[in-house]
Amino acid sequence: MRLSVRHSLMIGMAVLVGLIIAQALVGIGVLETGRQSTRQIVVDTIPSIRVLGEINLQATRHRLRTIRHVLNDDPAVMTQIEGQLAEAETTLNQLFAAFEAHLSTPNETKVWRLFRSEWAQYLDLQRQAIEESRKGAKA
């Protein structure tokens, strides 16, 4: 049995419409994957990057204040700097807690714990340097 031109065109159109629908479904799936990736970046990655940047800034300020303390001879200024250091440590602890809320993988957690242990060692060394600075041992 031969198909008429009309039936052939209708079958061809039906096949094309089917292909267009299949393509649309694949496209919707790809868009959904992209939306989920974007959501993950906006909700998790960007805030954690902001917090890390703030941690970096505050840690740098902390180090600079310690250097100012060691280089300074005036007891009043040294006391003022010690107050600033205490405030900076409080701010850093708040930022650390904020960043820990964004940790999502075991590898990130491992690296963060390593950083925290090294930061604690750094703070101990800085406290020793400040104690020596108070005693007048500037070298």
Side-chain angles (χ1 to χ4, degrees):
M1 170 173 172
R2 290 182 45 105
L3 296 174
S4 68
V5 173
R6 182 177 177 204
H7 287 320
S8 296
L9 288 174
M10 288 175 66
I11 291 172
M13 289 300 286
V15 169
L16 287 176
V17 168
L19 287 174
I20 289 171
I21 290 172
Q23 221 174 11
L25 293 175
V26 170
I28 289 171
V30 170
L31 287 174
E32 179 62 25
T33 303
R35 188 189 68 77
Q36 289 174 354
S37 298
T38 302
R39 181 171 163 74
Q40 180 186 6
I41 288 170
V42 169
V43 170
D44 186 37
T45 306
I46 291 176
S48 65
I49 290 171
R50 269 194 197 119
V51 173
L52 275 178
E54 189 67 27
I55 288 171
N56 186 26
L57 174 68
Q58 292 299 329
T60 302
R61 286 180 175 172
H62 187 279
R63 289 190 296 269
L64 290 174
R65 286 179 179 130
T66 304
I67 291 170
R68 279 184 41 219
H69 189 285
V70 170
L71 294 176
N72 220 314
D73 290 331
D74 185 7
V77 174
M78 292 169 73
T79 304
Q80 180 186 9
I81 293 172
E82 288 170 14
Q84 292 172 349
L85 284 170
E87 287 178 31
E89 287 180 27
T90 302
T91 302
L92 278 167
N93 286 333
Q94 292 170 350
L95 290 169
F96 289 165
F99 181 73
E100 287 172 359
H102 294 288
L103 295 175
S104 58
T105 64
N107 192 31
E108 285 178 347
T109 306
K110 178 182 171 188
V111 171
W112 180 249
R113 286 186 180 144
L114 178 65
F115 166 76
R116 287 299 302 262
S117 68
E118 288 179 4
W119 180 254
Q121 291 172 359
Y122 165 78
L123 285 180
D124 288 340
L125 290 173
Q126 292 302 319
R127 287 184 185 112
Q128 291 172 8
I130 288 173
E131 287 297 321
E132 293 297 319
S133 173
R134 271 193 220 128
K135 295 175 186 174
K138 299 296 182 179

